[in-house]
């Protein structure tokens, strides 16, 4: 099993969620987060200067079986991308075990 953590633009979240459901990734958690990115340039809007170094994003955590990893990452890469700086990051790590509390199932059965 793998844990996929993705930091994406909030504006792309609905599109990403729909695409994940289409490949049958139906459970994941998400949070609104603020991060600091590489973009150092400030912007001016209606005469007011503001910094873009603090970036509002959505953080997703998705645990999938090994055979869903490639599909999951490809969906994130395809749907979360705008082609501009600040599209986000994806991190993949191993999950040793997973349990479904209600049924006490473990392993892949615990996440599906």
């Amino acid at each position: 099993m793998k844990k996929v953590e993705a930091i994406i633009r909030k504006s792309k979240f609905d599109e990403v969620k729909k695409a994940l459901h289409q490949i049958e990734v139906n459970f994941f958690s998400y949070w609104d987060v603020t991060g600091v990115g590489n973009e150092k340039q400030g912007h001016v809007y209606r005469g007011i200067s503001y910094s873009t170094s603090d970036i509002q994003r959505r953080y997703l955590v998705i645990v999938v079986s090994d055979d869903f990893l490639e599909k999951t990452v490809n969906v994130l890469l395809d749907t979360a991308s705008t082609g501009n700086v600040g599209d986000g990051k994806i991190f993949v790590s191993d999950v040793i075990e997973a349990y479904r509390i209600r049924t006490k199932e473990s392993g892949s059965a615990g996440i599906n």
Side-chain angles (χ1 to χ4, degrees):
M1 292 175 290
K2 303 293 184 192
K3 178 166 67 169
V4 179
E5 298 170 277
I7 302 166
I8 65 170
R9 294 176 184 274
K10 289 173 94 171
S11 62
K12 299 296 277 182
F13 176 72
D14 288 334
E15 185 179 345
V16 168
K17 181 173 72 170
K18 182 179 178 182
L20 287 170
H21 287 310
Q22 288 175 344
I23 63 164
E24 298 180 3
V25 174
N26 295 312
F27 177 80
F28 57 89
S29 299
Y30 65 91
W31 298 265
D32 288 332
V33 296
T34 303
V36 178
N38 288 330
E39 188 176 356
K40 305 293 186 227
Q41 181 180 2
H43 292 280
V44 176
Y45 178 72
R46 294 187 177 183
I48 299 171
S49 179
Y50 64 95
S51 170
T52 57
S53 63
D54 295 333
I55 304 168
Q56 297 292 314
R57 295 289 181 257
R58 191 143 287 164
Y59 178 77
L60 289 74
V61 175
I62 310 161
V63 178
V64 295
S65 57
D66 290 344
D67 56 329
F68 268 82
L69 176 63
E70 187 175 349
K71 286 195 288 188
T72 302
V73 170
N74 285 337
V75 160
L76 291 167
L77 289 171
D78 292 342
T79 57
S81 176
T82 66
N84 296 317
V85 171
D87 277 347
K89 304 277 189 218
I90 300 171
F91 307 100
V92 178
S93 56
D94 289 320
V95 173
I96 297 169
E97 191 58 86
Y99 296 91
R100 176 174 288 144
I101 295 171
R102 178 178 54 87
T103 62
K104 310 213 179 8
E105 294 172 294
S106 64
S108 291
I111 60 171
N112 293 326

